[in-house]
mmCIF file with all atom_site columns, all heavy atoms in Angstrom:
data_model
loop_
_atom_site.group_PDB
_atom_site.id
_atom_site.type_symbol
_atom_site.label_atom_id
_atom_site.label_alt_id
_atom_site.label_comp_id
_atom_site.label_asym_id
_atom_site.label_entity_id
_atom_site.label_seq_id
_atom_site.pdbx_PDB_ins_code
_atom_site.Cartn_x
_atom_site.Cartn_y
_atom_site.Cartn_z
_atom_site.occupancy
_atom_site.B_iso_or_equiv
_atom_site.pdbx_formal_charge
_atom_site.auth_seq_id
_atom_site.auth_comp_id
_atom_site.auth_asym_id
_atom_site.auth_atom_id
_atom_site.pdbx_PDB_model_num
ATOM 1   N N   . PRO A 1 41 ? 63.533 175.978 -15.134 1.00 96.00 ? 41 PRO A N   1
ATOM 2   C CA  . PRO A 1 41 ? 64.641 175.157 -14.647 1.00 96.00 ? 41 PRO A CA  1
ATOM 3   C C   . PRO A 1 41 ? 65.005 174.069 -15.657 1.00 96.00 ? 41 PRO A C   1
ATOM 4   O O   . PRO A 1 41 ? 64.166 173.637 -16.451 1.00 96.00 ? 41 PRO A O   1
ATOM 5   C CB  . PRO A 1 41 ? 64.071 174.542 -13.371 1.00 96.00 ? 41 PRO A CB  1
ATOM 6   C CG  . PRO A 1 41 ? 62.595 174.483 -13.615 1.00 96.00 ? 41 PRO A CG  1
ATOM 7   C CD  . PRO A 1 41 ? 62.269 175.696 -14.451 1.00 96.00 ? 41 PRO A CD  1
ATOM 8   N N   . VAL A 1 42 ? 66.225 173.657 -15.606 1.00 97.00 ? 42 VAL A N   1
ATOM 9   C CA  . VAL A 1 42 ? 66.668 172.541 -16.433 1.00 97.00 ? 42 VAL A CA  1
ATOM 10  C C   . VAL A 1 42 ? 66.241 171.256 -15.736 1.00 97.00 ? 42 VAL A C   1
ATOM 11  O O   . VAL A 1 42 ? 66.558 171.034 -14.565 1.00 97.00 ? 42 VAL A O   1
ATOM 12  C CB  . VAL A 1 42 ? 68.202 172.564 -16.621 1.00 97.00 ? 42 VAL A CB  1
ATOM 13  C CG1 . VAL A 1 42 ? 68.667 171.350 -17.396 1.00 97.00 ? 42 VAL A CG1 1
ATOM 14  C CG2 . VAL A 1 42 ? 68.626 173.849 -17.306 1.00 97.00 ? 42 VAL A CG2 1
ATOM 15  N N   . ASP A 1 43 ? 65.501 170.425 -16.450 1.00 96.00 ? 43 ASP A N   1
ATOM 16  C CA  . ASP A 1 43 ? 65.075 169.146 -15.898 1.00 96.00 ? 43 ASP A CA  1
ATOM 17  C C   . ASP A 1 43 ? 66.315 168.298 -15.640 1.00 96.00 ? 43 ASP A C   1
ATOM 18  O O   . ASP A 1 43 ? 67.138 168.096 -16.548 1.00 96.00 ? 43 ASP A O   1
ATOM 19  C CB  . ASP A 1 43 ? 64.134 168.447 -16.876 1.00 96.00 ? 43 ASP A CB  1
ATOM 20  C CG  . ASP A 1 43 ? 63.601 167.136 -16.344 1.00 96.00 ? 43 ASP A CG  1
ATOM 21  O OD1 . ASP A 1 43 ? 64.379 166.157 -16.286 1.00 96.00 ? 43 ASP A OD1 1
ATOM 22  O OD2 . ASP A 1 43 ? 62.405 167.082 -16.014 1.00 96.00 ? 43 ASP A OD2 1
ATOM 23  N N   . PRO A 1 44 ? 66.486 167.782 -14.440 1.00 97.00 ? 44 PRO A N   1
ATOM 24  C CA  . PRO A 1 44 ? 67.714 167.033 -14.129 1.00 97.00 ? 44 PRO A CA  1
ATOM 25  C C   . PRO A 1 44 ? 67.846 165.727 -14.903 1.00 97.00 ? 44 PRO A C   1
ATOM 26  O O   . PRO A 1 44 ? 68.958 165.222 -15.070 1.00 97.00 ? 44 PRO A O   1
ATOM 27  C CB  . PRO A 1 44 ? 67.609 166.779 -12.629 1.00 97.00 ? 44 PRO A CB  1
ATOM 28  C CG  . PRO A 1 44 ? 66.181 166.945 -12.283 1.00 97.00 ? 44 PRO A CG  1
ATOM 29  C CD  . PRO A 1 44 ? 65.596 167.891 -13.295 1.00 97.00 ? 44 PRO A CD  1
ATOM 30  N N   . ILE A 1 45 ? 66.749 165.200 -15.391 1.00 97.00 ? 45 ILE A N   1
ATOM 31  C CA  . ILE A 1 45 ? 66.813 163.936 -16.134 1.00 97.00 ? 45 ILE A CA  1
ATOM 32  C C   . ILE A 1 45 ? 67.026 164.183 -17.619 1.00 97.00 ? 45 ILE A C   1
ATOM 33  O O   . ILE A 1 45 ? 67.936 163.626 -18.233 1.00 97.00 ? 45 ILE A O   1
ATOM 34  C CB  . ILE A 1 45 ? 65.556 163.089 -15.868 1.00 97.00 ? 45 ILE A CB  1
ATOM 35  C CG1 . ILE A 1 45 ? 65.515 162.713 -14.393 1.00 97.00 ? 45 ILE A CG1 1
ATOM 36  C CG2 . ILE A 1 45 ? 65.520 161.855 -16.776 1.00 97.00 ? 45 ILE A CG2 1
ATOM 37  C CD1 . ILE A 1 45 ? 64.300 161.996 -13.932 1.00 97.00 ? 45 ILE A CD1 1
ATOM 38  N N   . THR A 1 46 ? 66.182 165.053 -18.219 1.00 96.00 ? 46 THR A N   1
ATOM 39  C CA  . THR A 1 46 ? 66.297 165.280 -19.666 1.00 96.00 ? 46 THR A CA  1
ATOM 40  C C   . THR A 1 46 ? 67.400 166.261 -20.019 1.00 96.00 ? 46 THR A C   1
ATOM 41  O O   . THR A 1 46 ? 67.931 166.220 -21.126 1.00 96.00 ? 46 THR A O   1
ATOM 42  C CB  . THR A 1 46 ? 64.976 165.823 -20.244 1.00 96.00 ? 46 THR A CB  1
ATOM 43  O OG1 . THR A 1 46 ? 64.738 167.136 -19.703 1.00 96.00 ? 46 THR A OG1 1
ATOM 44  C CG2 . THR A 1 46 ? 63.810 164.896 -19.959 1.00 96.00 ? 46 THR A CG2 1
ATOM 45  N N   . GLY A 1 47 ? 67.711 167.171 -19.087 1.00 97.00 ? 47 GLY A N   1
ATOM 46  C CA  . GLY A 1 47 ? 68.671 168.217 -19.388 1.00 97.00 ? 47 GLY A CA  1
ATOM 47  C C   . GLY A 1 47 ? 68.067 169.385 -20.155 1.00 97.00 ? 47 GLY A C   1
ATOM 48  O O   . GLY A 1 47 ? 68.785 170.282 -20.578 1.00 97.00 ? 47 GLY A O   1
ATOM 49  N N   . PHE A 1 48 ? 66.739 169.364 -20.329 1.00 96.00 ? 48 PHE A N   1
ATOM 50  C CA  . PHE A 1 48 ? 66.042 170.395 -21.095 1.00 96.00 ? 48 PHE A CA  1
ATOM 51  C C   . PHE A 1 48 ? 65.222 171.302 -20.185 1.00 96.00 ? 48 PHE A C   1
ATOM 52  O O   . PHE A 1 48 ? 64.700 170.853 -19.159 1.00 96.00 ? 48 PHE A O   1
ATOM 53  C CB  . PHE A 1 48 ? 65.027 169.778 -22.069 1.00 96.00 ? 48 PHE A CB  1
ATOM 54  C CG  . PHE A 1 48 ? 65.582 168.858 -23.103 1.00 96.00 ? 48 PHE A CG  1
ATOM 55  C CD1 . PHE A 1 48 ? 64.886 167.708 -23.448 1.00 96.00 ? 48 PHE A CD1 1
ATOM 56  C CD2 . PHE A 1 48 ? 66.766 169.135 -23.769 1.00 96.00 ? 48 PHE A CD2 1
ATOM 57  C CE1 . PHE A 1 48 ? 65.365 166.854 -24.428 1.00 96.00 ? 48 PHE A CE1 1
ATOM 58  C CE2 . PHE A 1 48 ? 67.254 168.281 -24.742 1.00 96.00 ? 48 PHE A CE2 1
ATOM 59  C CZ  . PHE A 1 48 ? 66.545 167.138 -25.074 1.00 96.00 ? 48 PHE A CZ  1
ATOM 60  N N   . VAL A 1 49 ? 65.026 172.549 -20.619 1.00 96.00 ? 49 VAL A N   1
ATOM 61  C CA  . VAL A 1 49 ? 63.928 173.374 -20.104 1.00 96.00 ? 49 VAL A CA  1
ATOM 62  C C   . VAL A 1 49 ? 62.671 172.889 -20.802 1.00 96.00 ? 49 VAL A C   1
ATOM 63  O O   . VAL A 1 49 ? 61.678 172.539 -20.174 1.00 96.00 ? 49 VAL A O   1
ATOM 64  C CB  . VAL A 1 49 ? 64.182 174.872 -20.377 1.00 96.00 ? 49 VAL A CB  1
ATOM 65  C CG1 . VAL A 1 49 ? 62.958 175.706 -20.007 1.00 96.00 ? 49 VAL A CG1 1
ATOM 66  C CG2 . VAL A 1 49 ? 65.412 175.347 -19.622 1.00 96.00 ? 49 VAL A CG2 1
ATOM 67  N N   . VAL A 1 50 ? 62.718 172.862 -22.118 1.00 95.00 ? 50 VAL A N   1
ATOM 68  C CA  . VAL A 1 50 ? 61.699 172.271 -22.993 1.00 95.00 ? 50 VAL A CA  1
ATOM 69  C C   . VAL A 1 50 ? 62.462 171.663 -24.157 1.00 95.00 ? 50 VAL A C   1
ATOM 70  O O   . VAL A 1 50 ? 63.413 172.268 -24.666 1.00 95.00 ? 50 VAL A O   1
ATOM 71  C CB  . VAL A 1 50 ? 60.701 173.329 -23.522 1.00 95.00 ? 50 VAL A CB  1
ATOM 72  C CG1 . VAL A 1 50 ? 59.815 172.780 -24.612 1.00 95.00 ? 50 VAL A CG1 1
ATOM 73  C CG2 . VAL A 1 50 ? 59.846 173.889 -22.391 1.00 95.00 ? 50 VAL A CG2 1
ATOM 74  N N   . ASP A 1 51 ? 62.067 170.507 -24.590 1.00 96.00 ? 51 ASP A N   1
ATOM 75  C CA  . ASP A 1 51 ? 62.685 169.877 -25.750 1.00 96.00 ? 51 ASP A CA  1
ATOM 76  C C   . ASP A 1 51 ? 62.375 170.726 -26.988 1.00 96.00 ? 51 ASP A C   1
ATOM 77  O O   . ASP A 1 51 ? 61.215 171.036 -27.258 1.00 96.00 ? 51 ASP A O   1
ATOM 78  C CB  . ASP A 1 51 ? 62.122 168.462 -25.915 1.00 96.00 ? 51 ASP A CB  1
ATOM 79  C CG  . ASP A 1 51 ? 62.829 167.650 -26.974 1.00 96.00 ? 51 ASP A CG  1
ATOM 80  O OD1 . ASP A 1 51 ? 63.319 168.221 -27.970 1.00 96.00 ? 51 ASP A OD1 1
ATOM 81  O OD2 . ASP A 1 51 ? 62.871 166.414 -26.815 1.00 96.00 ? 51 ASP A OD2 1
ATOM 82  N N   . PHE A 1 52 ? 63.404 171.156 -27.703 1.00 97.00 ? 52 PHE A N   1
ATOM 83  C CA  . PHE A 1 52 ? 63.194 171.962 -28.900 1.00 97.00 ? 52 PHE A CA  1
ATOM 84  C C   . PHE A 1 52 ? 62.279 171.268 -29.903 1.00 97.00 ? 52 PHE A C   1
ATOM 85  O O   . PHE A 1 52 ? 61.511 171.921 -30.609 1.00 97.00 ? 52 PHE A O   1
ATOM 86  C CB  . PHE A 1 52 ? 64.523 172.307 -29.580 1.00 97.00 ? 52 PHE A CB  1
ATOM 87  C CG  . PHE A 1 52 ? 65.318 173.358 -28.862 1.00 97.00 ? 52 PHE A CG  1
ATOM 88  C CD1 . PHE A 1 52 ? 66.629 173.107 -28.498 1.00 97.00 ? 52 PHE A CD1 1
ATOM 89  C CD2 . PHE A 1 52 ? 64.780 174.595 -28.556 1.00 97.00 ? 52 PHE A CD2 1
ATOM 90  C CE1 . PHE A 1 52 ? 67.388 174.069 -27.853 1.00 97.00 ? 52 PHE A CE1 1
ATOM 91  C CE2 . PHE A 1 52 ? 65.518 175.566 -27.908 1.00 97.00 ? 52 PHE A CE2 1
ATOM 92  C CZ  . PHE A 1 52 ? 66.830 175.305 -27.554 1.00 97.00 ? 52 PHE A CZ  1
ATOM 93  N N   . PHE A 1 53 ? 62.323 169.937 -29.968 1.00 97.00 ? 53 PHE A N   1
ATOM 94  C CA  . PHE A 1 53 ? 61.443 169.214 -30.887 1.00 97.00 ? 53 PHE A CA  1
ATOM 95  C C   . PHE A 1 53 ? 59.981 169.389 -30.493 1.00 97.00 ? 53 PHE A C   1
ATOM 96  O O   . PHE A 1 53 ? 59.104 169.471 -31.349 1.00 97.00 ? 53 PHE A O   1
ATOM 97  C CB  . PHE A 1 53 ? 61.812 167.727 -30.950 1.00 97.00 ? 53 PHE A CB  1
ATOM 98  C CG  . PHE A 1 53 ? 63.128 167.469 -31.631 1.00 97.00 ? 53 PHE A CG  1
ATOM 99  C CD1 . PHE A 1 53 ? 64.090 166.697 -31.015 1.00 97.00 ? 53 PHE A CD1 1
ATOM 100 C CD2 . PHE A 1 53 ? 63.408 167.998 -32.881 1.00 97.00 ? 53 PHE A CD2 1
ATOM 101 C CE1 . PHE A 1 53 ? 65.311 166.449 -31.633 1.00 97.00 ? 53 PHE A CE1 1
ATOM 102 C CE2 . PHE A 1 53 ? 64.623 167.776 -33.504 1.00 97.00 ? 53 PHE A CE2 1
ATOM 103 C CZ  . PHE A 1 53 ? 65.577 166.988 -32.877 1.00 97.00 ? 53 PHE A CZ  1
ATOM 104 N N   . ASP A 1 54 ? 59.693 169.463 -29.184 1.00 95.00 ? 54 ASP A N   1
ATOM 105 C CA  . ASP A 1 54 ? 58.316 169.706 -28.735 1.00 95.00 ? 54 ASP A CA  1
ATOM 106 C C   . ASP A 1 54 ? 57.861 171.105 -29.127 1.00 95.00 ? 54 ASP A C   1
ATOM 107 O O   . ASP A 1 54 ? 56.712 171.302 -29.526 1.00 95.00 ? 54 ASP A O   1
ATOM 108 C CB  . ASP A 1 54 ? 58.204 169.522 -27.218 1.00 95.00 ? 54 ASP A CB  1
ATOM 109 C CG  . ASP A 1 54 ? 58.381 168.082 -26.785 1.00 95.00 ? 54 ASP A CG  1
ATOM 110 O OD1 . ASP A 1 54 ? 58.257 167.162 -27.633 1.00 95.00 ? 54 ASP A OD1 1
ATOM 111 O OD2 . ASP A 1 54 ? 58.675 167.856 -25.587 1.00 95.00 ? 54 ASP A OD2 1
ATOM 112 N N   . LEU A 1 55 ? 58.753 172.064 -29.024 1.00 96.00 ? 55 LEU A N   1
ATOM 113 C CA  . LEU A 1 55 ? 58.420 173.430 -29.429 1.00 96.00 ? 55 LEU A CA  1
ATOM 114 C C   . LEU A 1 55 ? 58.200 173.505 -30.937 1.00 96.00 ? 55 LEU A C   1
ATOM 115 O O   . LEU A 1 55 ? 57.247 174.138 -31.406 1.00 96.00 ? 55 LEU A O   1
ATOM 116 C CB  . LEU A 1 55 ? 59.523 174.390 -28.991 1.00 96.00 ? 55 LEU A CB  1
ATOM 117 C CG  . LEU A 1 55 ? 59.280 175.874 -29.183 1.00 96.00 ? 55 LEU A CG  1
ATOM 118 C CD1 . LEU A 1 55 ? 57.959 176.331 -28.576 1.00 96.00 ? 55 LEU A CD1 1
ATOM 119 C CD2 . LEU A 1 55 ? 60.439 176.670 -28.598 1.00 96.00 ? 55 LEU A CD2 1
#
Side-chain angles (χ1 to χ4, degrees):
V42 176
D43 183 287
I45 296 175
T46 66
F48 299 141
V49 172
V50 169
D51 188 329
F52 286 126
F53 290 128
D54 291 342
L55 187 52

